[in-house]
Amino acid sequence: MTTPAIQTSGPLWRGLLLVCLAGVVWGTIGPTAQVVHDASGLSALTIGAYRAIAAVVVLVAAAAMMGRLRACVSLGRRHWRRVSAVGVLTAAFQLLFFVAVLWAGVSVATVVSLGFAPVLLLVIGSARRRSRPSAGQVLTAAVALFGLLLISVAGGTAEEAPHPTLGVLAALASGAAYALSAESAAPLTQRLDTLTLTTVTMSVTAAALVPGGLLVAYARGEPLMTGDTGSWLLIVYLGTVTMALAYALLYAGLRTTPSGAAVVATLLEPVTAVVIAIVFLGERLTPAGLAGALLIMAAIATLGRRSGAASSRPTRPRRRRPRAASGSPAGRR
């Protein structure tokens, strides 16, 4: 079966826009999961497990309808190391973030995990190029991190942190897993269509999340089922939109957007969560929260300006040496 042609060129801002949309979609996870928990009593790990199942069901059905199941199997065999790495790292990011929230609180986990990811990718990129990051890259990361800090502080409450040190370490590991999953997925996006890549990697992620989430919930004596229909519909939304669709948007955007810039762009996630909390949950916007949201959007805008400048920069046509007959002066150069 032939693989569809993958378009890896085009305006860089288009890829950045897709990544931003993924961040916006991810911003609905927290409020939606909170509504499900309040209505059903299901824990975050249990909700995450069912979310992963819903995502895989939708992706496999879509792959079957598009005739891509054989390509999914082929991808799993040919690139099993990288595919497994992306899927396991994605699962590790989610599980470790949950642990960090339990041990250190939501605000600390958010700032450390989501803040460490772009910094790590900046360091990795600089080491790979054997050069220091540019002043613009450092400034963009600093502005985004400060905005993230303000938004997290504004949205946080006085939380008990039973294991603050271990919680920070878990958040650092979560951020590292998030950064490395994006970095590992980037090469695959250049060779594979989005549906195939998303189906295979999310299947690996679900294979790690589902047993772990349900077993931990069972061991802790937490409910595994609910009779609330609205909760199941929201879980389907979480799997279909915030996992299947969102990661498809991320992978499509990574074709033209560097992983470091993509991780910064997904900081729209906490901005979206704040907006939803204000509009639908009745929370009040603090000056710190407003300033943080504006700083994150300003940082993303600088990424867009850099992308626009790069895409509009004229490229020099490559000179081709004239093909000459044997024995002519040109043929002997």
Side-chain angles (χ1 to χ4, degrees):
M1 178 173 291
T2 59
T3 301
I6 306 302
Q7 182 179 358
T8 58
S9 60
L12 299 182
W13 59 263
R14 187 176 300 167
L16 186 64
L17 176 61
L18 292 174
V19 176
C20 287
L21 288 175
V24 170
V25 170
W26 282 328
T28 66
I29 295 176
T32 305
Q34 186 62 50
V35 172
V36 174
H37 173 72
D38 293 341
S40 66
L42 297 177
S43 68
L45 279 177
T46 306
I47 295 170
Y50 290 137
R51 169 186 177 234
I53 293 173
V56 171
V57 169
V58 169
L59 287 168
V60 170
M65 291 177 60
M66 300 297 293
R68 304 301 302 153
L69 284 181
R70 188 175 299 176
C72 292
V73 175
S74 177
L75 168 62
R77 290 176 177 174
R78 291 198 320 269
H79 304 284
W80 67 270
R81 290 185 181 87
R82 188 173 290 272
V83 166
S84 298
V86 174
V88 171
L89 285 169
T90 302
F93 159 60
Q94 298 181 28
L95 287 173
L96 288 168
F97 185 80
F98 173 76
V99 172
V101 168
L102 290 179
W103 286 352
V106 175
S107 298
V108 172
T110 301
V111 171
V112 175
S113 178
L114 298 185
F116 181 60
V119 173
L120 179 60
L121 287 179
L122 191 62
V123 172
I124 292 175
S126 299
R128 182 174 297 161
R129 295 188 304 268
R130 296 182 180 180
S131 62
R132 295 180 179 179
S134 66
Q137 290 175 315
V138 174
L139 181 60
T140 296
V143 170
L145 295 183
F146 188 59
L148 177 63
L149 176 63
L150 288 177
I151 249 189
S152 299
V153 171
T157 57
E159 300 170 288
E160 292 185 3
H163 306 289
T165 303
L166 293 176
V168 169
L169 292 176
L172 287 171
S174 173
Y178 175 39
L180 294 175
S181 68
E183 184 75 3
S184 300
L188 291 175
T189 64
Q190 307 301 314
R191 302 192 297 266
L192 303 165
D193 66 280
T194 300
L195 177 59
T196 301
L197 176 59
T198 309
T199 301
V200 177
T201 54
M202 291 302 102
S203 296
V204 176
T205 300
L209 284 178
V210 173
L214 295 181
L215 285 175
V216 170
Y218 177 78
R220 297 173 61 177
E222 297 171 346
L224 298 179
M225 298 295 292
T226 177
D228 184 59
T229 305
S231 295
W232 287 115
L233 292 176
L234 289 177
I235 288 174
V236 171
Y237 163 81
L238 287 171
T240 304
V241 180
T242 72
M243 192 166 182
L245 175 61
Y247 276 97
L249 291 171
L250 175 65
Y251 294 152
L254 281 173
R255 288 186 187 143
T256 56
T257 306
S259 56
V263 168
V264 172
T266 55
L267 292 181
L268 277 176
E269 175 184 348
V271 176
T272 304
V274 168
V275 172
I276 291 176
I278 293 168
V279 175
F280 296 102
L281 303 181
E283 295 188 10
R284 301 178 65 179
L285 179 63
T286 65
L290 176 60
L294 293 176
L295 285 174
I296 289 176
M297 289 188 287
I300 295 173
T302 64
L303 295 175
R305 287 186 61 187
R306 250 183 269 153
S307 298
S311 61
S312 62
R313 191 177 299 141
T315 57
R316 295 182 179 179
R318 295 179 60 186
R319 292 184 178 181
R320 294 188 178 183
R321 300 173 67 179
R323 184 186 295 265
S326 175
S328 68
R332 293 194 296 266
R333 287 181 185 175

